[in-house]
Amino acid sequence: SASLDLAADLPSSHHLAPLLARHSTALTPRPYLATSTKMIELILLVNRQGKVRLAKWYKPEKRKDKLRITREIGSAVIKREKQKLCNFLEWKDKLIVFKRYASLFFVGVIERTDNELLMLEIIHHYVETLDGYFGNVCELDIIFNFHKAYFLLDELIIAGQLQETSKRKIIQACHAQDLQMEEGKDGKKDDKKGI
């Protein structure tokens, strides 16, 4: 039986060199896609008076440092917004990205080399998700339903990385959790009645 020589059917490597040279830029990773090692370090919601409404840390810090950092970032963001400056602020070796929606500042802290426009889009995506769940979200929704705001954020970002881009899926997951909580409450009521 004759053996097949597959290598004979392939062009030699010197024929592929011009093709690879032409397309080598397509094979190199793009900076805005190379976010696998980068991460969001902190998501912060602060009102105009500087009161923290939500803080989600993705990098471990001591409690005393967390308080100091949130105070510094909150005051820097409020001061910067009053001066009508841009939404990006270099702070120590980090980059602060923020956007004000109504009375709340949504703040993301990322590495300086990370994409600040992507972080701004993640913030906007989170606000739209909150709006979709609460229906025209306001500061009181965050205060009285903070656990749901955290749950929505946890569906969106895990370990400092964007995980879900579909607002519909995030809201569906939150509604499914609401149903489970209601079923759990109904079961406890039935237990108390002796059923």
Side-chain angles (χ1 to χ4, degrees):
S1 79
S3 65
L4 296 174
D5 187 13
L6 297 175
D9 294 336
L10 296 174
S12 64
S13 63
H14 72 291
H15 293 295
L16 294 176
L19 180 67
L20 290 175
R22 239 181 299 146
H23 297 290
S24 66
T25 56
L27 300 175
T28 56
R30 296 184 182 122
Y32 62 89
L33 293 176
T35 58
S36 60
T37 59
K38 310 211 188 246
M39 65 179 269
I40 300 166
E41 295 188 9
L42 168 65
I43 298 288
L44 196 63
L45 271 65
V46 182
N47 69 8
R48 287 187 286 192
Q49 290 76 34
K51 194 161 203 147
V52 176
R53 296 301 182 195
L54 180 141
K56 182 73 175 181
W57 293 82
Y58 298 103
K59 184 179 175 187
E61 296 283 345
K62 294 178 183 174
R63 182 171 168 76
K64 191 164 52 169
D65 291 337
K66 284 182 181 182
L67 294 172
R68 179 185 49 79
I69 290 169
T70 54
R71 192 172 41 246
E72 285 178 17
I73 290 174
S75 64
V77 164
I78 292 167
K79 192 182 308 177
R80 191 164 182 88
E81 202 270 337
K82 286 180 181 176
Q83 297 171 351
K84 304 283 188 209
L85 297 173
C86 77
N87 293 5
F88 311 118
L89 172 65
E90 290 183 355
W91 179 75
K92 297 186 180 181
D93 62 337
K94 307 294 177 214
L95 187 64
I96 298 172
V97 179
F98 68 94
K99 180 83 172 137
R100 182 174 153 213
Y101 292 92
S103 64
L104 285 176
F105 291 96
F106 289 74
V107 182
V109 178
I110 56 176
E111 297 174 13
R112 228 179 237 200
T113 57
D114 213 347
N115 189 335
E116 61 270 5
L117 294 176
L118 181 62
M119 185 64 225
L120 198 59
E121 189 61 31
I122 290 170
I123 289 171
H124 185 70
H125 184 61
Y126 180 52
V127 171
E128 286 182 336
T129 305
L130 288 169
D131 267 345
Y133 181 77
F134 290 110
N136 201 12
V137 69
C138 67
E139 186 176 353
L140 290 175
D141 291 324
I142 304 294
I143 292 169
F144 293 118
N145 298 299
F146 64 91
H147 57 288
K148 292 179 183 179
Y150 275 108
F151 183 76
L152 288 166
L153 185 59
D154 288 341
E155 287 292 314
L156 178 68
I157 300 169
I158 297 176
Q161 299 288 323
L162 179 65
Q163 295 299 313
E164 183 59 65
T165 57
S166 170
K167 290 179 275 240
R168 185 179 46 83
K169 286 184 180 180
I170 294 169
I171 293 169
Q172 283 176 346
C174 199
H175 284 309
Q177 184 190 38
D178 292 344
L179 286 173
Q180 287 178 346
M181 290 175 65
E182 289 299 318
E183 289 172 1
K185 288 179 183 177
D186 291 343
K188 288 181 182 179
K189 288 178 185 175
D190 290 343
D191 291 342
K192 289 180 182 177
K193 291 179 184 176
I195 298 176

